[in-house]
Amino acid sequence: TQTVSQSDAHVTVFEGDSVELRCNYSYGGSIYLSWYIQHHGHGLQFLLKYYSGNPVVQGVNGFEAEFSKSDSSFHLRKASVHWSDSAVYFCAVRMSNYNVLYFGSGTKLTVEP
Amino acid sequence: EAAVTQSPRNKVAVTGGKVTLSCNQTNNHNNMYWYRQDTGHGLRLIHYSYGAGSTEKGDIPDGYKASRPSQENFSLILELATPSQTSVYFCASGDAKGDEQYFGPGTRLTVL
């Protein structure tokens, strides 16, 4: 079995701050990782994914994530947040032979003015 | 133009009643998924499909059936609704590998 852990249920920062949202996984085989964003009252939207190669992947709106096999992590970062980044962020993993995602419990990001 | 639509957006049902949630996608994706979202649980996969005529059980299929009559449509059926099925339900379509999924706006279901 595999698990996806997002250790922070809530993160609050000020506009212009940098932020890192944490994601750790436990699975011994080949996996693929992604991040999604959910604004209040809406469905999830794809942000970025990692398959292989450069461990730092770029997504939309200035988001990036870094894969670390040694730490079993795929943390999401943004250098300077905007109030519109306030949302819930979900990390997801997919095992190599399956077309289904397993989501973490989400981190609610609040950006204060 | 929304590529994944769900209907109804809100539904109140009675215990023991039958509920059908509908999903339509215009992405021409083979894969479609039904999730429920509850506070503290994130998204949990109920059923999914690899194409018209196929349905597969996800992590929490008990009490739910699915139907994929065409590439575009994927329904979730609750034959005998229970209050524990009160939740927000999301449909998604996905690319061949399933990493990029496109979600509908959700259906809020309340079972009284």
Side-chain angles (χ1 to χ4, degrees):
Chain A
T1 57
Q2 72 296 317
T3 63
V4 185
S5 173
Q6 294 182 247
S7 53
D8 298 314
H10 301 274
V11 172
T12 300
V13 296
F14 290 99
E15 199 163 17
D17 285 351
S18 62
V19 71
E20 179 179 85
L21 305 182
R22 303 171 62 81
C23 173
N24 291 87
Y25 63 90
S26 62
Y27 182 68
S30 296
I31 62 167
Y32 305 98
L33 297 142
S34 51
W35 277 96
Y36 285 75
I37 179 174
Q38 184 181 32
H39 291 284
H40 182 70
H42 294 270
L44 279 68
Q45 289 178 275
F46 172 78
L47 269 182
L48 50 75
K49 66 183 177 186
Y50 171 77
Y51 274 159
S52 63
N54 187 340
V56 179
V57 292
Q58 305 294 323
V60 297
N61 294 334
F63 285 97
E64 66 175 31
E66 183 168 6
F67 169 71
S68 171
K69 187 172 183 178
S70 60
D71 293 339
S72 298
S73 68
F74 189 56
H75 302 328
L76 182 70
R77 301 189 296 243
K78 187 168 183 178
S80 177
V81 294
H82 186 263
W83 64 266
S84 61
D85 294 324
S86 294
V88 181
Y89 292 78
F90 291 94
C91 180
V93 301
R94 178 177 70 83
M95 294 182 287
S96 60
N97 294 328
Y98 297 93
N99 292 356
V100 298
L101 294 178
Y102 295 92
F103 288 89
S105 55
T107 296
K108 183 177 182 179
L109 175 65
T110 301
V111 180
E112 300 279 1
Chain B
E1 195 73 43
V4 181
T5 56
Q6 295 181 232
S7 63
R9 294 294 313 279
N10 290 280
K11 173 75 176 178
V12 179
V14 296
T15 297
K18 182 177 181 178
V19 177
T20 300
L21 306 183
S22 299
C23 177
N24 177 275
Q25 58 109 352
T26 58
N27 296 317
N28 197 31
H29 286 151
N30 288 335
N31 299 333
M32 294 187 75
Y33 309 85
W34 275 107
Y35 299 90
R36 62 178 285 175
Q37 184 175 35
D38 304 284
T39 302
H41 287 281
L43 272 80
R44 292 183 288 175
L45 182 65
I46 306 170
H47 284 288
Y48 60 103
S49 168
Y50 290 125
S54 94
T55 60
E56 306 289 337
K57 293 181 179 179
D59 295 325
I60 53 164
D62 293 344
Y64 303 93
K65 288 171 54 178
S67 174
R68 182 87 181 271
S70 65
Q71 178 84 337
E72 297 79 17
N73 295 293
F74 190 38
S75 298
L76 186 69
I77 303 146
L78 290 67
E79 295 278 6
L80 294 170
T82 69
S84 65
Q85 294 175 312
T86 293
S87 187
V88 180
Y89 291 85
F90 287 98
C91 174
S93 72
D95 63 1
K97 294 186 183 299
D99 296 303
E100 290 189 43
Q101 295 187 14
Y102 297 82
F103 284 76
T107 294
R108 183 173 296 276
L109 173 65
T110 303
V111 183
L112 302 176

